Amino acid sequence: QVQLVESGGGLVQAGGSLRLSCVASGSIFSTNNMAWHRQAPGKQRELVALITRGGTTHYADSVKGRFTISRDNAKNTVYLQMNSLKPEDTAVYYCAAGPIVSTARSVTYWGQGTQVTVSS
């Protein structure tokens, strides 16, 4: 069964904003760290941001100061607020969950991905 469901991707102009959402099944959300990864065409999947069960956050250098990850425990949802978007942010964004989510190969659960396209 589907356990991570993303939404919120789309097309936006450079400088614009988008908010991604990921709803997880309760058993996954409450027991795991959560993260967003992204994969651009021809590139490896990379960590964008993660948030631990306790709320500690970590960001890739490329998005610091522009993106914010948060989690709503009552809604089993993790968000990625993306501001000041750049064309190089264009990628498929994946929601991730697991005990370790800092690298793609360590992730236990993946969402289906949502496309974010930033036009110049």
Side-chain angles (χ1 to χ4, degrees):
Q1 69 275 21
V2 178
Q3 302 186 84
L4 296 176
V5 180
E6 301 113 327
S7 62
L11 173 64
V12 64
Q13 289 187 332
S17 298
L18 283 174
R19 188 177 80 156
L20 306 182
S21 300
C22 172
V23 180
S25 65
S27 61
I28 290 178
F29 189 84
S30 63
T31 59
N32 286 284
N33 300 316
M34 304 293 294
W36 289 95
H37 289 248
R38 68 185 179 188
Q39 188 166 18
K43 295 188 177 181
Q44 290 187 336
R45 195 169 296 190
E46 62 177 3
L47 174 70
V48 176
L50 67 84
I51 185 166
T52 67
R53 290 170 56 192
T56 300
T57 58
H58 172 79
Y59 297 92
D61 288 343
S62 59
V63 306
K64 281 181 182 177
R66 300 189 297 122
F67 291 11
T68 302
I69 189 170
S70 61
R71 61 191 295 164
D72 185 332
N73 293 332
K75 297 181 178 180
N76 293 341
T77 301
V78 61
Y79 302 99
L80 185 68
Q81 177 66 44
M82 304 185 293
N83 298 329
S84 301
L85 282 161
K86 304 175 181 180
E88 51 263 45
D89 295 318
T90 295
V92 178
Y93 284 69
Y94 295 91
C95 181
I100 301 173
V101 291
S102 53
T103 62
R105 61 184 178 183
S106 62
V107 169
T108 305
Y109 302 98
W110 288 107
Q112 81 282 1
T114 185
Q115 177 70 47
V116 171
T117 303
V118 184
S119 63
S120 57

